[in-house]
Amino acid sequence: MSTKNIEEKQYLLRFKCDTKSHLTVLDHDICMTKCPDKICTIFCPAEVYKWEGTRMQVGYEGCHECGSCRIGCPYQNIKWEYPKGGHGIVFRLA
């Protein structure tokens, strides 16, 4: 039995993306004025959140649906919903 590192495990993930994001930053001003560390860019294992200029960009297409952002944002500024039925992450076993 071989052990896999995180990159190898993430390679097994597949995504069926919806055209509408299931992740929403509620107020970009909160990110800019109250959250200097932009902690969501650190705790998200899929690196979905990227700070660009004055806005948080959300690459929902690669979300692992772990829910970290739902509980990790100290300002509860991220709305997390399950993707629409039939969309989202697809796990493969190898």
Side-chain angles (χ1 to χ4, degrees), residues 10-16 61 63 88-92:
Q10 286 181 333
Y11 178 74
L12 298 174
L13 303 176
R14 296 293 177 255
F15 306 92
K16 184 174 181 189
E61 301 89 344
C63 176
I89 195 165
V90 178
F91 295 98
R92 294 187 321 148

Side-chain angles (χ1 to χ4, degrees), residues 1-91:
M1 183 168 104
S2 68
T3 59
K4 292 182 175 25
N5 64 30
I6 190 70
E7 289 81 14
E8 290 170 326
K9 289 179 181 180
Q10 286 181 333
Y11 178 74
L12 298 174
L13 303 176
R14 296 293 177 255
F15 306 92
K16 184 174 181 189
C17 298
D18 194 358
T19 55
K20 183 179 180 289
S21 178
H22 64 287
L23 305 170
T24 306
V25 174
L26 300 174
D27 185 347
H28 291 275
D29 287 338
I30 288 175
C31 299
M32 186 171 15
T33 61
K34 293 186 177 179
C35 191
D37 295 327
K38 313 297 186 265
I39 196 144
C40 61
T41 63
I42 299 167
F43 65 64
C44 176
E47 299 178 356
V48 165
Y49 299 94
K50 302 279 185 217
W51 183 252
E52 294 182 2
T54 59
R55 294 183 62 81
M56 186 63 68
Q57 299 299 320
V58 182
Y60 71 95
E61 301 89 344
C63 176
H64 293 181
E65 298 174 34
C66 67
S68 293
C69 56
R70 195 169 28 176
I71 60 171
C73 177
Y75 302 99
Q76 298 178 334
N77 194 33
I78 299 172
K79 180 180 176 186
W80 187 98
E81 301 174 294
Y82 285 104
K84 187 168 64 176
H87 293 86
I89 195 165
V90 178
F91 295 98

